[in-house]
Amino acid sequence: MTWIWTNAPALPVVLLLPAAIIIPLAALIDRRLARALALAASLAAVALGILNLVRVLADGPVRYFMGGWPPPIGIEYVLDPLSAFVILVVNAIGFLVLLHAGTPVARELPEAGQQVPYYAVAVLMLCGFNGIVVTGDFFNLYVWLEISSLSLYGLIAVGGRKAPVAAFRYLILGTIGACFYLLGLGFLFTMTGTLNMADLKAILPAVSAEPAVAVGLGLIVAGMGLKMALFPLHGWLPDAYTYAPSASSALIAPLGTKVGAYVLIRILFFVFGVGAAAKAFPLTTVVGWLAAGGILYGSVMAMAQRELKRMLAYSSIAQVGYIGLGIGLANPLGLIGAILHVMNHAAMKGLLFLVAGNFRTVLGHSDIARLDGSARRRMPWTTAAFAVGALSMIGIPPLAGFFSKWYLALGAVARKQWVFLAVILVSSLLNAVYFFRVLERVYLVKPDAEEDAPRTEVTASMRIPVLILAAALVLLGVLNAAIVKGVLAKVAAAALF
Amino acid sequence: MGTTFASPLPLLAVAVSLAAVPAILLSAKNRNLREFWTLAASLAKFAVVLSLLPAVLDGRLAETRLFELAPGVRLALKADAAGVFFALVASGLWILTSVYNIGYMRGLRERKQTRYYASFAVCLSSTVGVAFAANLLTFVLFYEILTVATYPLVVHKESAEAIRAGRKYLAYTLSAGVLLIAATAMIWLTAGRLEFVPGGFLSGSSLSAGTLKALFLLLLGGVGVKASIMPLHGWLPTAMVAPTPVSALLHAVAVVKSGVFGVVRVTGFVFGPRLMADMEFDTLLAGFAAATILTASLLAFREDNLKRRLAYSTVGHLSYIVLGMALVAPAAAAGSLLHLAFHATLKITLFFCAGAIYVNLHKDKVSELDGVGRIMPWTMAAFTLGAIGLAGIPPLNGFVSKWSLGLGALQAGRPTALALLVLSGILNAGYFFPIVRRAFFKKGAFPPGAREAAPTMVAPLVVTAGLSLALGLYPDLFFRFYRLASAVAASVFGGPGP
């Protein structure tokens, strides 16, 4: 057991990477092994995530040298409250979505040649996300970024007829984003001579006045802004989320953009700092204003959509804006709000995309205009969970979504950023508009065929994750003070303000 | 102010109706069992609230402090005099409404009754939560839940009109919620506290005049929508599309009274009388209230639909309560609270009557009510009492609260407010008494066999009318409303306790 304890920071990655490779091989023996292995691997990653978080909170940050080689020669993995927290969120949501994926994958990817790779690639993507979050080395981060991105393109491309085009578009833009990141990293490397985050943090203050550093940082922020779909770099997102298979979009939507946001937070708040050095080059302010624009743009566009997944996709652009806004506030409360929203939005969007998947499985479509009371009658649990998710998105206390807004609002007040405060609050109302539009249809519109539709609630494997997430929204809301005080306050205390 | 002691009772008062929700949902198939849960919960809730009364009268306040809702702010419920006062009104009238509901919903063979009763129970939980909330964030929590839980009741008919009304309702109330949240966040960061304190907690803080003004306007906007202060009243007449018991309990008692109760909290427990007077918020608020009273009374004349006429009357009477708080005088504050309770018994009577007429004779227009009094004597007698009470004529309880408000107006040195109250009484008589005259003194055509409505509907409205009369003769009867209201006024104005 001590072996697990000492190597725990690297174990999620070390576990998931081979799993992704073994899955196709095991499937040669029995196809059902693919899903079982994927579930087992991601469940183990959740367990490790809990272990790591508990440990970090008890003992403080853990630095782990890959292969025993200390930096600058070796690659360092760092578990601090931020990375441990985000990893747990990523793995928990990933597990729940994979648990749900059985039926949608079998239905939407009917060919056996697609099902097995789905699980393999999904696990590979989770592995990439874990690597991005845990690594303490910027180049290693790039490697994990590419691994997760390539998996992402694959997961999207297996969808319907329009999916390959959407995936290709995302591939082009995603690659540009990654190039920006790499280019920016080159600038930083030439100025500092290191790629290790801790070293960079120590050296940067000495050279922070150099234009090359500013350019490098700007490029990195632009690249990551593209990955997290920060307005106006969001162009790839709606098509990719809409045309991807349900099982893929439910996996990508809650997690994909969050990882980009994590990198942004890591660089701006933990390596570069938003204090004195940022005065000359107010990157966070730019991010904040773009995010505010994205919140309004995404919400308005979401109102105009006719298809549930597409509506949720635009809503994601708006929600990513919340995180960007928290970054833009550049104060502890804003940062807490941003990170809390990483978790809350992952849970909410995961839930809502899973519900969209359930609609598609049972009703055969997720067109808002064609939804009616029969959806509720056939799937009372799924629609109830959708209602909880929608209310949380609107920000009704005590659901999780309210508290993201609470901390962001506090951050905006502390900074006297009244425009940001107004944007946060108005977006609640815009959320209400597009979510109640769906709720009205599901709960109040009488079905055309008056005969009693049979109650064909989805299978347990599709219902349980949805219900767990709905319950989680209540719990995360009620327990937010514990999370904030126990974890996020430590994160904010370690950040460079 | 009194001492506080830890007690689970305030939480129990909130939770008991919430606990009934699963029971209601699970017994959807057996409607008698389902309605039993509602009645049991309403009786239990009232009993719990009533058990808090003796302690409050002694000046001892029961408090439940739960986990932290956000760092530094607990979910806390405190049964102070004002809270117990409001909770008594809401939970007591819920019992009668539950009985009435059974007659009404079964009489009309309404669909989706399970959802209806479940939503009602959630609404009452959040209303008592609003009453007992010990700080602003807890208040916001229950206030928002109340908003959402009322929505299914507003759209209950599921007609296009109901859905439109639901949208309008949400647009108004959710916007208000957002203003409240903004104000709460600002107060928490600038003043560093959110706990309600009799006499206000902002007066000692070093906030600038501009910040105070912004906070007052935000809070006023937040509570003003449910309190139907014009021009924020638009949702209320539209929401009359809901079934009549909803209009009766929620749109005359629970929801709108949560709004005016919010006004009481904001003026008496957040800003406090001194700050109100120093910053001239009193004049501002009184102006809005006076305009609302006059305009609503005049608009009520125009409405032929009985429920809409009652809705405008409600808008006007809610502003009596707002006016009372705006006068910043002890007697006016006591009058405000008294009117919160007494308007509730009177208006619920009138709504019950309107619903009974609708279920029994399918009439909902004032112009169709000729001769109804002969067919439904009990109902229309109760209606008459309600109308007399709302016009503020003794010996009904409406006179008592208005008297106190009038005294307050003189205490505050604002005789115009007194004149306004008298004028509004005349206008009330003007739009209510013709209904009574039609019902009793004109001849109408009715199908043979038309008679009084079902006992489950008539009994509650006779009880509320009788209660209104009894409280008019002896305001301290049973529930000690008068003593409670005086205690609240005394605590807010720093006078001697009860």
Side-chain angles (χ1 to χ4, degrees):
Chain A
M1 288 309 283
T2 48
W3 176 82
I4 293 185
W5 187 254
T6 34
N7 294 299
L11 272 185
V13 179
V14 173
L15 185 87
L16 289 168
L17 193 60
I21 297 161
I22 294 170
I23 285 172
L25 299 177
L28 293 177
I29 304 168
D30 187 339
R31 281 231 325 268
R32 282 169 301 181
L33 274 176
R35 179 159 179 256
L37 271 175
L39 279 177
S42 65
L43 186 61
V46 175
L48 286 168
I50 295 171
L51 183 75
N52 279 332
L53 183 61
V54 171
R55 175 179 179 183
V56 164
L57 293 180
D59 304 348
V62 182
R63 298 179 70 173
Y64 178 84
F65 305 135
M66 261 309 191
W69 294 86
I73 294 156
I75 290 167
E76 174 188 37
Y77 279 16
V78 180
L79 271 177
D80 59 3
L82 176 62
S83 58
F85 178 75
V86 175
I87 281 199
L88 182 57
V89 170
V90 165
N91 287 328
I93 301 291
F95 170 72
L96 288 174
V97 174
L98 284 178
L99 189 62
H100 178 273
T103 318
V105 165
R107 219 184 128 268
E108 290 179 36
L109 308 174
E111 292 166 45
Q114 291 176 324
Q115 290 176 19
V116 173
Y118 169 83
Y119 289 111
V121 174
V123 170
L124 191 62
M125 185 184 78
L126 282 181
C127 175
F129 289 161
N130 274 281
I132 291 173
V133 177
V134 79
T135 187
D137 181 285
F138 275 121
F139 189 79
N140 190 238
L141 193 154
Y142 172 75
V143 174
W144 289 122
L145 188 70
E146 284 297 276
I147 288 177
S148 64
S149 298
L150 290 172
S151 323
L152 261 173
Y153 308 141
L155 286 177
I156 294 166
V158 288
R161 208 160 42 84
K162 290 179 181 164
V165 181
F168 188 68
R169 188 164 166 209
Y170 183 21
L171 187 148
I172 301 283
L173 288 171
T175 308
I176 292 173
C179 285
F180 272 33
Y181 174 83
L182 196 59
L183 207 58
L185 205 54
F187 274 94
L188 292 188
F189 183 63
T190 47
M191 293 310 298
T192 60
T194 181
L195 291 166
N196 181 280
M197 290 182 192
D199 289 350
L200 211 57
K201 178 176 161 185
I203 298 171
L204 266 178
V207 292
S208 62
E210 297 286 336
V213 171
V215 171
L217 208 61
L219 285 169
I220 289 177
V221 170
M224 283 302 121
L226 225 160
K227 292 304 270 187
M228 76 180 268
L230 182 68
F231 176 81
L233 307 171
H234 61 277
W236 56 269
L237 186 145
D239 279 354
Y241 284 14
T242 312
Y243 299 125
S246 302
S248 299
S249 47
L251 198 54
I252 297 164
L255 303 180
T257 50
K258 304 299 174 305
V259 176
Y262 164 83
V263 177
L264 215 50
I265 291 173
R266 175 63 75 189
I267 292 175
L268 290 175
F269 289 88
F270 291 87
V271 176
F272 192 68
V274 292
K279 282 234 170 65
F281 192 50
L283 268 178
T284 50
T285 314
V286 175
V287 170
W289 282 100
L290 291 180
I295 291 175
L296 297 179
Y297 168 84
S299 304
V300 170
M301 288 301 285
M303 286 182 213
Q305 300 309 315
R306 294 181 196 156
E307 204 269 335
L308 187 58
K309 273 172 76 175
R310 207 169 173 79
M311 180 188 104
L312 295 176
Y314 276 104
S315 154
S316 291
I317 296 171
Q319 298 289 318
V320 162
Y322 278 51
I323 301 170
L325 201 75
I327 295 172
L329 287 169
N331 59 8
L333 285 165
L335 181 63
I336 287 174
I339 302 170
L340 191 67
H341 199 59
V342 167
M343 173 185 74
N344 288 344
H345 183 243
M348 291 190 281
K349 248 331 128 51
L351 166 64
L352 293 169
F353 268 101
L354 291 185
V355 167
N358 288 2
F359 281 170
R360 284 201 172 186
T361 303
V362 173
L363 309 172
H365 70 88
S366 52
D367 290 337
I368 295 168
R370 282 162 66 199
L371 289 174
D372 57 26
S374 67
R376 182 194 63 82
R377 208 172 300 166
R378 289 168 74 173
M379 302 179 281
W381 290 105
T382 299
T383 43
F386 180 80
V388 173
L391 291 178
S392 179
M393 292 285 287
I394 295 166
I396 302 296
L399 298 174
F402 170 77
F403 291 99
S404 311
K405 284 180 190 168
W406 172 251
Y407 293 105
L408 290 173
L410 287 180
V413 172
R415 193 136 278 242
K416 302 206 187 307
Q417 256 298 0
W418 308 122
V419 179
F420 285 3
L421 180 64
V423 166
I424 294 164
L425 298 173
V426 166
S427 98
S428 282
L429 303 177
L430 299 177
N431 270 303
V433 172
Y434 60 80
F435 276 111
F436 267 99
R437 197 166 61 112
V438 181
L439 288 175
E440 266 178 9
R441 296 210 67 85
V442 175
Y443 279 99
L444 303 177
V445 173
K446 291 180 186 66
D448 291 335
E450 197 45 56
E451 84 268 22
D452 269 351
R455 187 162 153 172
T456 46
E457 181 66 89
V458 288
T459 54
S461 74
M462 290 178 80
R463 202 188 328 160
I464 290 167
V466 170
L467 294 178
I468 289 177
L469 282 170
L473 290 182
V474 180
L475 275 180
L476 294 178
V478 170
L479 298 177
N480 83 87
I483 296 169
V484 167
K485 280 182 24 181
V487 185
L488 301 186
K490 289 186 176 153
V491 175
L496 303 167
F497 286 109
Chain B
M1 277 189 66
T3 52
T4 55
F5 64 99
S7 158
L9 285 177
L11 177 65
L12 191 64
V14 173
V16 68
S17 43
L18 213 53
V21 172
I24 290 170
L25 292 176
L26 287 176
S27 36
K29 296 269 185 287
N30 181 347
R31 59 182 203 166
N32 287 334
L33 181 63
R34 182 184 66 196
E35 268 73 302
F36 162 77
W37 290 120
T38 296
L39 285 172
S42 63
L43 286 168
K45 195 177 191 76
F46 185 63
V48 174
V49 175
L50 206 56
S51 75
L52 287 164
L53 185 58
V56 169
L57 290 172
D58 273 0
R60 293 183 304 119
L61 313 179
E63 188 177 37
T64 316
R65 292 172 69 79
L66 295 165
F67 54 88
E68 279 185 308
L69 207 50
V73 195
R74 277 186 189 281
L75 181 61
L77 298 163
K78 187 160 157 186
D80 65 350
V84 170
F85 188 96
F86 180 37
L88 269 178
V89 175
S91 61
L93 291 176
W94 186 34
I95 302 174
L96 298 168
T97 310
S98 301
V99 176
Y100 183 85
N101 253 331
I102 296 169
Y104 185 90
M105 298 303 277
R106 293 188 180 177
L108 287 181
R109 295 197 179 79
E110 288 275 353
R111 301 173 63 224
K112 301 201 175 162
Q113 290 192 26
T114 305
R115 179 176 84 190
Y116 178 84
Y117 285 108
S119 303
F120 241 104
V122 179
C123 280
L124 260 294
S125 272
S126 37
T127 305
V128 173
V130 164
F132 286 159
N135 58 50
L136 206 46
L137 192 60
T138 311
F139 181 87
V140 170
L141 169 83
F142 287 111
Y143 201 75
E144 291 282 273
I145 296 175
L146 180 60
T147 298
V148 174
T150 311
Y151 173 77
L153 298 171
V154 174
V155 297
H156 183 82
K157 287 188 179 152
E158 302 193 349
S159 60
E161 192 194 358
I163 291 177
R164 268 201 306 279
R167 285 181 191 165
K168 193 168 178 183
Y169 166 77
L170 281 181
Y172 274 82
T173 49
L174 287 177
S175 309
V178 156
L179 298 182
L180 264 188
I181 292 167
T184 309
M186 283 172 72
I187 293 177
W188 175 235
L189 267 194
T190 49
R193 52 194 297 196
L194 292 172
E195 201 96 357
F196 292 129
V197 175
F201 64 81
L202 286 182
S203 46
S205 62
S206 55
L207 297 180
S208 69
T211 313
L212 284 172
K213 251 178 214 146
L215 286 175
F216 186 76
L217 289 177
L218 282 173
L219 286 172
L220 189 61
V223 295
V225 165
K226 283 204 178 100
S228 294
I229 301 171
M230 283 184 178
L232 307 174
H233 70 290
W235 62 276
L236 184 57
T238 319
M240 287 300 136
V241 65
T244 309
V246 175
S247 311
L249 185 65
L250 296 172
H251 298 149
V253 181
V255 172
V256 293
K257 291 289 159 65
S258 293
V260 287
F261 188 73
V263 173
V264 172
R265 285 291 192 211
V266 168
T267 54
F269 294 77
V270 175
F271 284 91
R274 271 195 44 205
L275 207 53
M276 289 282 294
D278 290 350
M279 297 291 299
E280 298 193 335
F281 293 149
D282 53 346
T283 316
L284 177 81
L285 194 57
F288 273 113
T292 307
I293 293 172
L294 275 184
T295 320
S297 302
L298 293 173
L299 285 173
F301 274 97
R302 216 183 52 176
E303 290 292 343
D304 189 33
N305 181 301
L306 180 56
K307 275 178 72 182
R308 285 180 67 91
R309 186 175 288 195
L310 293 178
Y312 276 110
S313 161
T314 302
V315 173
H317 277 277
L318 291 171
S319 273
Y320 279 35
I321 302 166
V322 177
L323 181 67
M325 291 316 290
L327 287 173
V328 194
S336 271
L337 277 171
L338 285 177
H339 204 60
L340 191 153
F342 294 167
H343 168 253
T345 65
L346 293 165
K347 191 50 68 66
I348 206 168
T349 308
L350 297 190
F351 271 112
F352 281 169
C353 295
I357 296 167
Y358 178 66
V359 172
N360 205 26
L361 306 171
H362 297 285
K363 290 180 191 296
D364 58 1
K365 290 206 172 65
V366 172
S367 51
E368 299 169 342
L369 295 183
D370 294 356
V372 169
R374 299 172 189 203
I375 308 288
M376 305 172 66
W378 287 97
T379 304
M380 286 319 291
F383 190 96
T384 310
L385 282 180
I388 294 172
L390 285 174
I393 298 168
L396 270 292
N397 56 1
F399 167 73
V400 178
S401 48
K402 219 160 146 181
W403 176 261
S404 195
L405 284 169
L407 275 182
L410 295 180
Q411 259 180 7
R414 291 182 193 264
T416 38
L418 180 60
L420 181 75
L421 289 171
V422 174
L423 174 64
S424 166
I426 296 168
L427 290 173
N428 267 275
Y431 60 76
F432 277 134
F433 290 172
I435 302 174
V436 176
R437 197 175 64 94
R438 260 179 202 282
F440 282 111
F441 301 110
K442 283 199 175 175
K443 281 212 170 76
F446 296 99
R451 56 196 172 84
E452 185 60 274
T456 44
M457 301 177 73
V458 176
L461 63 89
V462 168
V463 171
T464 52
L467 203 59
S468 307
L469 184 61
L471 288 170
L473 293 169
Y474 184 46
D476 242 0
L477 185 77
F478 303 141
F479 313 115
R480 307 295 178 128
F481 282 136
Y482 200 82
R483 267 188 70 186
L484 278 174
S486 315
V488 174
S491 71
V492 167
F493 287 88

